[in-house]
Amino acid sequence: MGHYITIATCNLNQWALDFEGNRDRIIESIRQAKKQGAKLRVGPELEICGYGCLDHFSESDLYQHSWEIYGDIISHPDTKDILLDIGIPIIHKSNKYNCRIISYNAKILLIRPKLYLANDGNYREMRYFTPWNRPKYFEEYQLPKFISKITQQSRVTFGDCVIETFETRLGCETCEELFTPQSPHIDMSLDGVEIFTNSSGSHHELRKLDTRLELITEATKKCGGVYLYSNQRGCDGDRLYYDGCAAIILNGKVVAQASQFSLNDVEVVSATIDLDDVRSYRNQKSASLQSVNRKDIYKSLYCEIDLSPTSNVFNPLIVPTSTRPIRYHLPEEEIALGPACWLWDYLRRSKTGGYFLPLSGGIDSCATAVIVHSMCRLVVEAIKDGNKQVLNDIQSLTHDSNFIPNTPQEIAEKLFHTSFMGTENSSKETRTRAKELAKKIGAYHIDLNMDTLVGAVISVFEVATGKKPIFKIFGGSQTENLALQNIQARLRMVLSYLFAQLLPWTRNKSTGGLLVLGSANVDECLRGYLTKYDCSSADINPIGGISKTDLKRFIAWAEIKFELPILNEFLTATPTAELEPITENYVQSDEIDMGMTYDELSRFGRLRKVDKCGPLSMFIKLYHEWSQPPLNLTAEQVAEKVKRFWFFYAINRHKMTTMTPAYHAEQYSPDDNRFDLRPFLINPRFPHASKKIDEVVEDIKRREEEIQKNNISVE
Ligand SMILES: Nc1ncnc2c1ncn2[C@@H]1O[C@H](COP(=O)(O)OP(=O)(O)OC[C@H]2O[C@@H]([n+]3cccc(C(=O)O)c3)[C@H](O)[C@@H]2O)[C@@H](O)[C@H]1O
Ligand SMILES: Nc1ncnc2c1ncn2[C@@H]1O[C@H](COP(=O)(O)OP(=O)(O)OP(=O)(O)O)[C@@H](O)[C@H]1O
Ligand SMILES: NC(=O)CC[C@H](N)C(=O)O
């Protein structure tokens, strides 16, 4: 006869340690959930303090403040009459746990610690928290005195239990638990739990949303039930962008999906579902029958909550939500949106005067500029959609309380500064491309020459040593050639910081300094094809986790979507550093300089990091791939390429220790500070592995010769 319930989940843009801001966003999400008629609201993992507090999780203050903020939330009048599932870190018996508190009308029903912690890639939860790791086990927890006063309870249940209301059973799963082989939702569903809440802190990675959504939908496809997924969204103070996508799934089908990228701090989605649909679905599965035989059941905490009042059945205003297809972005859109939202959060939270970008006329800095343009577009759209927070933020950043931008260019004119820093090695084409792009996106552009600066530094060297370095094409050595390139690149970095500090001052703006943007891409970092402490040493880098191949696809996409025909010129130009003199028969080219193509680099990068290959297993895998058509490479050729890659990777690994913090986007990111921890003094010849590769090459040659001989004798 129908048991209709309305339930809500959300994306919240929490900020690590911003306790009061986080509290306000949580309360606002509860208000919005109630407005949508929901009787249950789920929030992201550790939403009270923010997911990414990292080593701040070791501080007792953090736990004390989290309880204080929790007290504020449950005593607020707007948070009554709705079942709340709130993420919070808690100390129990001197150990720190990543928890959720389920409460109703300021009474705590359950504290549920995370059973299995996230500890791979960017995650280090084992560093801060103890896993509960004891399914179905529970203890008593003594509440802090000031919380007892609010809840009128002294002790509450702490552990892996489920909640029972008048009409259903509800259980919690926390982020990583969904990804583990023994996800709690399996046992819970066999014990009659119909609603699963998942509170997550999960970050964006290109082309990865489907993995998460497959797991979420699979959970209830197999077991039946309603799954509420909540996630943090935004830059909470680190290289990661949490990408929301809160969703509600009924029996494997999506009924609500929030956005992945947006400037909205609070986004609540809700759905009205019929619990009988879960029962009917399970009835067709043998699982529901098997569950009656189970003896190790969950402790169920009973509470008198009417999630589905009888009036719901006949209320014409309560319309069950229909299923909808899952929405995915193209990778190009992900690049346009994720880093742009991250840059916006960084800017408004750092309260700096805008961005400064050394714009070379090449693809990488062009992509960075287009991402800033995308940020400006998002700000304009958000303001048009009535987002007051974004309007306040832009007015505060520009120190102009009347500023209401109508175009992205109006924002760029105030906040985005670019500069072409030419030398005698720069071409007219790159200079013009940089200028044209800046004009089209409205950036405040400075076109300058720095030959006098380069000349001055070289003369200081000449006077001090009596030696004058010259370029290779004029007869100099490789060492002289490199030094002459590096000094140009490095002086650009010095100039960038000077301009970032003083440009607003020259424009009579009282906005403070600008943040310098870097644009080294993931492949250059992996190969070390950059000058240490040149323009790759910036404040932040939105494209440091993106491959050259993806950046090109993004530019091609933006040319059409952002109506910027100038981008076509960037795509068709040969990538060149323009650090060496151009002559009639010589123009510097990236791929020739590197000794490998960007496509090869992506493959090496993926094998090294994602497939965890050392030099020998990389060689074997690539031999199988590249010895086939259309490449038809010999084993020796593959070996040479693999050895070359590892050589440059090893001699340049030290550069990763000083790389600018970059938006994490790629599975094969070589980011040394968080994601890809490696030594930086490595023997680049890999002598033992190289010998083994040579042995395999010999073996392959011997076998090929044998096959050839046999073929001849058969003929
Ligand atoms: N094991 C180790 N541990 C720590 N530091 C180490 C080190 N080995 C060298 N070093 C240090 O590293 C430094 C050498 O690195 P670095 O100065 O970068 O110089 P280096 O890597 O030799 O040259 C820069 C490379 O980037 C290329 N490039 C291409 C395109 C554009 C740009 C650009 O910048 O625009 C650059 C350029 O063609 C060249 O191949 C030296 O200070 C050296 O002492
Ligand atoms: N002439 C220039 N004017 C301003 N900035 C420059 C110039 N040349 C290089 N840069 C800056 O230094 C960075 C690294 O230079 P490099 O020549 O290695 O370019 P890249 O990494 O291939 O990037 P791009 O595709 O933007 O040229 C550039 O991304 C850019 O920010
Ligand atoms: N916070 C977590 O538990 C994260 C876990 C998971 N691997 C993810 O990327 O979503």
Side-chain angles (χ1 to χ4, degrees), residues 45-46 51 98 114 116-120 123 125 174-179 199-203 208 212 229 231 242:
E45 189 170 6
L46 299 167
Y51 181 77
N98 174 348
K114 191 169 181 177
Y116 313 120
L117 300 180
N119 220 47
D120 58 355
Y123 297 97
E125 288 187 5
T174 307
C175 199
E176 179 73 0
E177 291 170 3
L178 171 69
F179 295 72
S199 182
S200 279
S202 188
H203 67 276
K208 289 286 281 176
R212 195 194 302 157
Y229 177 81
N231 194 10
Y242 298 91

Side-chain angles (χ1 to χ4, degrees), residues 332 335 363-364 367 546-559 567 570-573 575 591 598-599:
E332 293 85 341
I335 296 175
I363 286 279
D364 297 335
I546 305 176
S547 72
K548 188 82 165 189
T549 321
D550 279 341
L551 288 172
K552 283 194 194 150
R553 289 174 58 162
F554 161 62
I555 295 297
W557 173 90
E559 181 194 339
L567 295 183
F570 285 81
L571 280 173
T572 45
E591 293 188 336
Y598 279 110
D599 286 346

Side-chain angles (χ1 to χ4, degrees), residues 393-401 403 411 414-415 510-511:
D393 287 335
I394 192 75
Q395 291 180 343
S396 134
L397 282 169
T398 54
H399 296 265
D400 178 356
S401 53
F403 183 47
I411 298 177
K414 289 179 187 281
L415 294 180
S510 52
T511 51

Side-chain angles (χ1 to χ4, degrees), residues 613-621 642-643 646 686 689-690 693:
C613 288
L616 177 62
S617 39
M618 182 183 288
F619 162 71
I620 292 170
K621 280 203 165 34
V642 169
K643 286 184 194 170
W646 284 95
F686 295 87
S690 288
I693 292 176

Side-chain angles (χ1 to χ4, degrees), residues 29-48:
S29 71
I30 297 170
R31 270 191 213 113
Q32 290 189 21
K34 285 171 69 176
K35 220 169 169 185
Q36 295 178 26
K39 288 278 180 190
L40 163 68
R41 173 270 183 204
V42 188
E45 189 170 6
L46 299 167
E47 59 191 308
I48 290 201

